[in-house]
Every structure is written in structure tokens, then in C-alpha cells.
Amino acid sequence: MAKALVFIDNPGAALKKSSLELLTIARSLGDVVVAVNGELHDDVVAALGAQGASALYRPSATDLDDYLVAPKAAYLAAVVAASGAGTVLLENTADGKEIAARLGVKLNAGVITDVVGVDADGTAHKSVLAGSYTTTAKARTAVAVLTIKPNSVDVGTPAAASTPETATIDVPADATANAARVTGRAEKPVSGRPELTEARIVVAGGRGVDGDFGPLEELADVLGGALGASRAATDAGWIGHDYQVGQTGKTVSPQLYISAGISGAIQQKAGMQTSKVIVAINKDAESPIFEIADFGIVGDLFKVVPQATEEIKKRKG
Amino acid sequence: MKIVVLVKHVPDAQFDRHLTGPGNTVDRDESILSELDEYALEAALQLSEARGGAKAGNEVIALSMGPAGAVNAVKKSLQIGASSGAHLSDDALAGSDAAATSLALAAAIRHLGADSPVDLVLTGMASTDGETSLVPAQLAERLGLPQVTFASSLEVNGERIVARRDGDAHADTVEASLPALVSVTDQINEPRYPNFKGILAAKKKKITALTLADIGVDAAQVGAAGSLTAVETAEARPPRTAGTIITDEGDAGIKLVEFLAAQKLL
Ligand SMILES: Cc1cc2nc3c(=O)[nH]c(=O)nc-3n(C[C@H](O)[C@H](O)[C@H](O)COP(=O)(O)OP(=O)(O)OC[C@H]3O[C@@H](n4cnc5c(N)ncnc54)[C@H](O)[C@@H]3O)c2cc1C
């Protein structure tokens, strides 16, 4: 039976939704095997079994996180050799894509990024040119390497659980020889809000918030959404660069994107125009954001947003 | 210091962009130097200038791969300040995916390093058309170089590179030794514009035209034939159309909530 390998980098204490999505896709492609890096909790092993994983691979080295990307690709290449997997699935993060890139060169395997769906025959679905085209693509090689965008599939569980066999894979001795070292690491504060790229609802602000994200934070919180921002807002230092949505920020595709005080430049649209429903609030009726909004309000965000927040609170009792 | 900067000629995002032809490749009419590569060029120029510039033997070579028009990305780079350029162009390259592109670019960089070694390869964080970010990592793998990608700051002290890389959960300090490959984000600097002097000076700068034969790559290794992936179908997404637009008359917040409720988004 065909084998699909899922890579989970530092699974932590419980499997993330994005990992569950990878496992769900892997099951549709064949026998599921998993490679992890980093600490492995018993709960995670049990959860992987419940997800139908038949084998679980761990690296012989514990210092892969001390380097940038390259040794993880070398480790995964060794896992592919040991498992005989025909498809490798990774997260569509910056690291995930670069691990995929290097793995592709090592295995002479086709790499497809930004995938939102995979057919049983390996055909991958994605959108390109800032969401203006949907395409299907296929690897022409024995092994295919795919990175999957979050929120691409509904998470499922298999009929039967399994007890994965575990094996340690030797990380090639030269894997770190030419790798850049991570010599310092500053953890970023966690917000308590949903992760921007995975959130169902995103409330984003731009230059129009004029330094005050307070009203948008309150709206995001009553909606259970994440905060986003335009580059003008992040460049101004009003909010961290991590919140930037767009060409050089994050790509989001939520059920609902509320854009407030953002003009809708092409680079901003590139990151959000595949959102299901777009709401725009802007003082200027000529703003290009209104060309793509499902519901547009020409008005002052400092009046509209707090009023909406109050109304939602009232309705929720 | 010898720096090769990769510059791509990409469709201008201000216009509608199209996929064309049997391989569903990007239509390159109305193309420009990728904005994201301007940050890499600026980083290269700053490194060169800090070391005394061209007079002190520093070189910044702008390298582009693509059809005839792609030479414009090289020309613009020369106007901005690169010391020379190279344009790899060959009909067989059409339709190359990231694997084939990185194979050809790796061979071109080896070629440019034949007489004196390349110390640094600098790229943008992604192309503004393909947007995969695969090529820098694949180049590093092929050239056996340490990769320092998504750098938002960059220092080179002697043989040592120190860069900052912002991730989702943490910001890292990353170090490597030269030679290396570095990709930079748009946070790293403010790219300069070409000035009149630069535009005049560019006319005297050399652009080396390269073909596959020059860099020792077989036509079967690149283009659609050498690509490891194939785009099978492409459908233009119906453009988003504007929906309801209202002007706030004091109750727009409430109308917004009514809209969200009707869409079952509350
Ligand atoms: C290479 C490159 C990459 C880029 N990448 C990105 C990216 O990833 N993401 C991104 O966002 N941008 C990006 N940009 C920048 C982009 O081109 C725009 O400059 C930016 O998106 C503008 O942000 P803005 O809409 O917040 O600001 P502006 O364009 O200044 O718009 C502010 C809007 O707020 C409205 N406004 C003001 N006050 C109020 C109020 N009280 N109530 C309601 N509305 C109000 C105004 O009418 C205006 O429309 C990039 C640019 C380049 C060159």
C-alpha cells in the first residue's frame, strides 16, 4: 500500500489542528507514517495511534532546532528511505516550505507548496497569483513533497486506531556541517487569541486606526477572532510585524475578514482576498478595498467598530 | 567581497496577471524588477559600500534568468548600483519549476564563481509571482551553502554572518560562515531608487549573456522537460465583486451585526 509520511516538528503536549489536517490528508493517500522532531509526549503518541499512524520515526539527534532547516531535511530524507513513503506532507510555514525545498533536491522529488487539497491520485489543488487562479499540479517523480495550508480539510478520525511502531532514524553525520546555527532565541509573547493563519475570523486594522488597536481588539475578542494588520500599521510600530497580512506578511483565508482603516493596496489584498466573507470599514468611499468587500461601510471605524462590539455583546446576552 | 544578487523580472502586480500556454506559466508582458529583490540588492550594495565599494575590489553582480525581457531587471539593478550583470536566457528554460530553476541558477552561480569565488548569494524572500520561497533553500542545498533565509537584519564581520530571523513563535539570531546564501525580507532596509548618475553609469556596465551551454546544463534538465512538477489545470477565479456598500448614518455598527448574523458568522 502507498505510504504517506507526515512531518510534525515539535508536536508539543498535544497535536495541533494543522497536524490533524495533515494526518487526515495522509489517510486518504494510504498508510500513514509519521516523523517527529523534538520532545514526544505519551499523549501525542496515543493521539497519533488514534489517528491511524502505523509507524513513528524520531531523529537520533536532539539538536536539530539549533540549526536552520538543513538538518531537518537530511533527517526527513533518511526517514523517506527507511519508510519507503511516496508522499511527504509538511506544514505550509516558512520552515515547512524550506524543509520541503531541500528535501525535494535531496530526493529529486517534486515539491508543491500552498496546497489546499489532495486527490487520492496525488493531484494537488492550490491557488496562485494572489488567489486569482486555482490550479491543479502534480509531482512527476516517485516521491512527492507537499506543504499544506491550514484550514484546508475537515479533521477526521479513522475507523480503527493503531499502535504505531517506533524507530529511531540516524541523522546523517554531515547534516549540520554546512548549516547556519541558531545562536539566540527570543520567545514572543502569546496573545491568547487564535493563531492568525488558522483563525476562522480575522479583524484587521491599518493606518486608519491611528495607533489605537483597542477597538479592534475588543471586536476580535467578542467574535473569538485573531487580530491582523496592514503593513502601514506594522511599520508604524503600532502592532508587531507578526500581525501583518499580505504579500510579505501572512496569507489568511478565514470565514470572515473584517478590514478597518485599510485602503486595500494590492499587496494587502494578496494576503486576504480568498477570505470567504470580507467586510470593509473605511472613511473613504473611493478606497479599493470596497471593490472586493461583501459588505462595505463608508464611515469612521472609531464609531462603527465599538457600536458593532456593543451590539454583539447585547445579542450574546 | 563578491556578491551575486538574484533579480527576477516579474509581472507587475498592479495589472491583472495571467497564466498562459500549455504549461500554464506566467505571462510576462508588463513586467518589472521584483520589488522583493530590491531589498536584496540594497543589502548587497550596503555590504559592498561598507567595504570600500568597487574601488576596493567589491563586486555586486545582478543575475537574472528568463526570456529576453528579463534583462530589464538586470539593467534596473545596474542603474541602482550593481557593478555588473548576468542574464541567463535560453528557450529551453521556459516553464521551469523551482527545482529546474534552482538547478540552472546554481550552475550559473558556479560559472560566475569560476575565476574568483562567490562569497555571498543574496535573494529576496520570495518572488512576487510564484511566491513559493523554494528557490533560495534549493539553491543553498545544491551549492552546499549554509542558508540564512528570511533575514530581517544582516551583518558580515570578516567571515562570519549574523542575521535576525523572525518566526511566528520566536525571533532567532542566526549565524553562519561565508560563503553563504542569504534571503532577506522587506524589513531589512529601505531600497534606494536609481538616480540620474546611476542611470548614466549603468550604460557602461557589462551584462554577460549566458546560455545553458555556457553554464554546462543540458536542456533536458530544465524547462518543462526537467521540471519535477507539472501544472495540469488552471482556472481564473471569478473576480470578487463588490457587495453591499452603505454609508454610516449612525447605525452602521448595528447593520454590520445584522449582516454577520444573516451570514451565520456570529
Ligand atoms: C514589496 C512590498 C510588499 C508589501 N507587502 C505588504 C503586505 O504584506 N501587507 C500590507 O498590508 N501591505 C504591504 N505593502 C504596502 C502596501 O502597498 C500599502 O502601502 C499598505 O497596505 C497600506 O496600508 P493601509 O491600507 O493601512 O494604509 P493606507 O493606504 O494609508 O490606508 C489607510 C486607510 O484608512 C482609512 N482611514 C483613515 N482613518 C480612518 C477612520 N477613522 N475610519 C475608517 N477608515 C479610516 C483611509 O481612508 C485609508 O483608506 C507592501 C508594499 C511593498 C512595496
Side-chain angles (χ1 to χ4, degrees):
Chain A
M1 187 169 162
K3 270 189 193 168
L5 170 66
V6 171
F7 177 52
I8 306 178
D9 201 358
N10 291 301
L15 289 180
K16 284 192 299 181
K17 177 159 172 278
S18 52
S19 304
L20 295 171
E21 291 186 43
L22 297 186
L23 292 159
T24 302
I25 293 176
R27 280 198 304 275
S28 72
L29 298 172
D31 182 21
V32 180
V33 296
V34 176
V36 296
N37 166 53
E39 247 187 285
L40 188 57
H41 291 255
D42 289 345
D43 290 355
V44 169
V45 177
L48 289 171
Q51 284 290 320
S54 66
L56 183 51
Y57 298 95
R58 303 189 66 184
S60 59
T62 54
D63 64 348
L64 300 188
D65 287 331
D66 296 348
Y67 300 89
L68 212 61
V69 190
K72 289 180 187 173
Y75 158 59
L76 273 190
V79 177
V80 172
S83 64
T87 310
V88 185
L89 303 173
L90 302 97
E91 271 193 69
N92 199 58
T93 54
D95 280 4
K97 287 196 269 191
E98 293 195 327
I99 295 168
R102 298 187 76 120
L103 183 63
V105 171
K106 284 184 190 298
L107 302 175
N108 197 37
V111 182
I112 304 173
T113 55
D114 295 330
V115 173
V116 296
V118 188
D119 298 341
D121 71 348
T123 301
H125 297 255
K126 60 181 282 184
S127 82
V128 299
L129 294 181
S132 55
Y133 280 81
T134 53
T135 60
T136 61
K138 216 170 166 177
R140 304 162 67 207
T141 48
V143 179
V145 181
L146 311 178
T147 66
I148 314 285
K149 286 181 109 168
N151 287 329
S152 293
V153 288
D154 292 328
V155 168
T157 33
S162 61
T163 310
E165 275 181 43
T166 57
T168 301
I169 297 292
D170 280 329
V171 177
D174 61 356
T176 56
N178 258 333
R181 277 187 79 92
V182 178
T183 55
R185 175 157 287 173
E187 300 296 331
K188 294 186 173 170
V190 278
S191 72
R193 296 196 180 88
E195 159 66 43
L196 181 54
T197 52
E198 296 185 8
R200 248 185 89 254
I201 295 177
V202 174
V203 180
R207 202 191 307 271
V209 309
D210 201 16
D212 181 10
F213 267 83
L216 297 191
E217 288 183 38
E218 285 178 32
L219 179 59
D221 289 343
V222 293
L223 289 168
L227 265 192
S230 75
R231 181 165 147 186
T234 60
D235 278 358
W238 300 335
I239 189 166
H241 176 59
D242 298 340
Y243 292 88
Q244 183 181 315
V245 172
Q247 185 188 35
T248 54
K250 301 215 161 97
T251 312
V252 300
S253 209
Q255 297 290 316
L256 171 63
Y257 188 89
I258 300 181
S259 158
I262 297 179
S263 59
I266 180 84
Q267 294 93 349
Q268 154 71 205
K269 283 198 240 167
M272 50 66 84
Q273 67 181 351
T274 57
S275 302
K276 263 270 182 46
V277 174
I278 296 173
V279 169
I281 305 159
N282 194 305
K283 281 206 294 212
D284 175 8
E286 303 298 316
S287 273
I289 190 67
F290 287 124
E291 292 163 14
I292 63 165
D294 298 287
F295 190 76
I297 297 168
V298 180
D300 183 346
L301 75 92
F302 290 104
K303 297 205 175 106
V304 178
V305 171
Q307 188 181 49
T309 305
E310 281 318 306
E311 178 67 13
I312 294 166
K313 279 190 188 152
K314 221 192 297 170
R315 288 186 182 219
K316 291 196 165 158
Chain B
M1 196 170 183
K2 184 167 174 178
I3 306 173
V4 173
V5 186
L6 300 185
V7 292
K8 193 173 183 187
H9 191 233
V10 297
D12 190 340
Q14 305 295 342
F15 300 100
D16 276 343
R17 295 177 293 175
H18 300 283
L19 298 177
T20 56
N24 292 305
T25 49
V26 180
D27 181 354
R28 291 181 189 283
D29 292 350
E30 312 279 5
S31 289
I32 54 166
L33 165 62
S34 172
E35 286 171 322
L36 297 180
D37 295 340
E38 292 184 14
Y39 299 89
L41 180 59
E42 179 63 38
L45 295 174
Q46 288 183 11
L47 287 174
S48 163
E49 284 158 4
R51 281 156 190 74
K55 282 185 216 101
N58 293 289
E59 265 187 276
V60 175
I61 308 171
L63 166 64
S64 190
M65 162 181 147
V71 78
N72 291 331
V74 179
K75 285 184 181 158
K76 171 110 187 261
S77 305
L78 297 182
Q79 294 174 349
I80 294 172
S83 40
S84 67
H87 176 209
L88 171 62
S89 191
D90 203 301
D91 289 346
L93 287 165
S96 294
D97 71 351
T101 301
S102 62
L103 185 138
L105 286 173
I109 291 164
R110 279 193 210 100
H111 179 85
L112 293 173
D115 47 354
S116 67
V118 172
D119 299 299
L120 191 60
V121 179
L122 266 169
T123 79
M125 61 186 278
S127 67
T128 54
D129 50 354
E131 290 180 344
T132 64
S133 300
L134 292 176
V135 168
Q138 295 203 321
L139 263 181
E141 178 76 32
R142 291 188 193 278
L143 294 169
L145 296 177
Q147 73 169 80
V148 177
T149 39
F150 296 100
S152 56
S153 77
L154 175 66
E155 267 176 62
V156 180
N157 308 321
E159 295 290 296
R160 214 169 57 109
I161 297 183
V162 184
R164 180 188 156 103
R165 175 180 163 111
D166 274 301
D168 284 335
H170 41 81
D172 292 340
T173 305
V174 178
E175 299 194 11
S177 52
L178 294 177
L181 176 137
V182 176
S183 80
V184 303
T185 72
D186 60 342
Q187 302 292 303
I188 193 167
N189 54 39
E190 278 297 329
R192 68 191 74 179
Y193 294 106
N195 55 28
F196 185 64
K197 209 172 131 217
I199 293 169
L200 281 186
K203 297 205 167 111
K204 296 197 205 92
K205 292 177 183 170
K206 192 172 119 205
I207 299 178
T208 309
L210 298 173
T211 63
L212 287 178
D214 295 326
I215 60 168
V217 169
D218 195 76
Q221 292 175 277
V222 295
S227 289
L228 306 184
T229 56
V231 177
E232 302 197 321
T233 63
E235 254 180 81
R237 235 185 149 93
R240 278 196 98 100
T241 46
T244 317
I245 312 265
I246 61 164
T247 300
D248 185 20
E249 284 165 355
D251 59 351
I254 298 183
K255 289 204 168 125
L256 168 56
V257 176
E258 281 163 6
F259 170 79
L260 296 180
Q263 298 281 326
K264 303 199 165 31
L265 286 165
L266 284 186

